[in-house]
Amino acid sequence: MTDQQFKNVTHCIFDMDGLLIDSESVYKKIYRSICEKYGHSYGGDLAFEVLGRPERVGAELIINYYKLPLSIDEFQDFYHRLQREFFHNVNMMPGAERLLRHLKKHNVPIALATSSSAESFALKTGHLKEVFDLFEHKVLGGSDPDVKHGKPSPDIFIVAAKRFSDVPDPSKCLVFEDAPNGVQAAIDAGCQAVMVPDEALPEKYTEKATLVLKSLMEFKPELFGLPKFD
């Protein structure tokens, strides 16, 4: 899409895992540990399919793909034990805090829309509370009753738009994502989507994004009618 095709927006909605915080590498480590216990090597197209999905959906996909002798609840028990072990000091991704603080400074309403549950969110962001307090509101899809269907369904971004105090039309919301499922959800919700994919993600998975960047450091707010960086 050319610069002229970008539409001006007034609000921004952010995914979290792999976009704002460097957690996807930890997720891969957790999934790899579980799969290796049963003699399988986690990765490939399955990993891209799981990316951005709600926890239980990801668990079901992995169980079915590798025919693991586990129920979803058993998989999640294992998963949550490893979460508590590995998610103790996850770092912000390059450019993430800079962008959030810039938008906040210029009174651009921002929201979080993550597939994580409230428990998982608290575990990953407890040491980053000051940054995550910048959001006007947060939609934690894994435990939010209003999010009936996880990404790639558009529910989470429709809910996020509706919860802004001035209730903008989704077309006025710019979504930031790293996962193909999240981009699909954003587009289907009526939003534009800026994608910052994993460098290993095949290009075919980025085709639906409005704009693809290597890092949030590359983002130019003025392309979408937002205030330039100072």
Side-chain angles (χ1 to χ4, degrees):
M1 187 175 279
T2 65
D3 292 2
Q4 289 73 29
Q5 290 175 291
F6 297 140
K7 297 173 184 175
N8 287 355
V9 299
T10 54
H11 298 63
C12 294
I13 303 173
F14 291 82
D15 174 50
M16 181 175 71
D17 291 298
L19 178 85
L20 296 180
I21 60 174
D22 186 16
S23 53
E24 289 299 347
S25 59
V26 182
Y27 277 121
K28 289 176 186 175
K29 183 178 179 181
I30 290 172
Y31 290 141
R32 197 175 297 123
S33 296
I34 296 173
C35 292
E36 285 177 353
K37 182 178 173 68
Y38 297 96
H40 300 286
S41 179
Y42 178 75
D45 286 346
L46 175 64
F48 300 136
E49 180 67 18
V50 170
L51 194 64
R53 298 271 195 168
E55 289 177 7
R56 288 187 69 86
V57 176
E60 185 175 17
L61 286 169
I62 293 170
I63 290 168
N64 290 341
Y65 186 87
Y66 293 116
K67 297 180 173 55
L68 301 182
L70 296 169
S71 67
I72 293 177
D73 287 339
E74 288 170 337
F75 186 100
Q76 284 202 289
D77 285 344
F78 198 169
Y79 172 89
H80 289 145
R81 287 200 302 273
L82 292 174
Q83 260 196 331
R84 289 188 288 273
E85 180 180 342
F86 297 148
F87 276 124
H88 55 274
N89 193 24
V90 180
N91 295 318
M92 296 291 294
M93 293 291 279
E97 183 172 355
R98 168 179 174 255
L99 176 56
L100 294 177
R101 291 192 181 280
H102 169 75
L103 295 173
K104 185 71 173 181
K105 176 182 177 181
H106 290 277
N107 298 312
V108 177
I110 56 176
L112 186 73
T114 173
S115 296
S116 293
S117 64
E119 179 183 8
S120 178
F121 171 79
L123 184 66
K124 289 178 280 193
T125 66
H127 61 298
L128 299 168
K129 189 175 186 301
E130 182 185 353
V131 177
F132 282 86
D133 280 347
L134 296 172
F135 291 105
E136 179 176 312
H137 69 83
K138 307 176 188 73
V139 182
L140 309 180
S143 53
D144 192 312
D146 290 339
V147 181
K148 306 297 184 187
H149 305 284
K151 302 172 187 176
S153 294
D155 301 33
I156 194 167
F157 295 122
I158 293 172
V159 170
K162 286 181 178 177
R163 288 187 185 171
F164 280 115
S165 56
D166 54 351
V167 195
D169 187 272
S171 65
K172 290 296 184 181
C173 297
L174 182 62
V175 169
F176 292 81
E177 265 284 354
D178 70 305
N181 288 313
V183 169
Q184 184 67 62
I187 298 300
D188 287 350
C191 308
Q192 295 175 91
V194 173
M195 187 182 196
V196 187
D198 185 297
E199 60 183 16
L201 189 72
E203 191 173 336
K204 67 179 181 179
Y205 290 105
T206 70
E207 292 172 352
K208 294 184 179 180
T210 310
L211 175 66
V212 181
L213 305 174
K214 292 182 179 178
S215 162
L216 287 175
M217 290 296 294
E218 295 182 349
F219 180 64
K220 297 179 180 180
E222 62 270 23
L223 292 179
F224 294 90
L226 298 168
K228 288 184 179 182
F229 281 109
D230 301 329

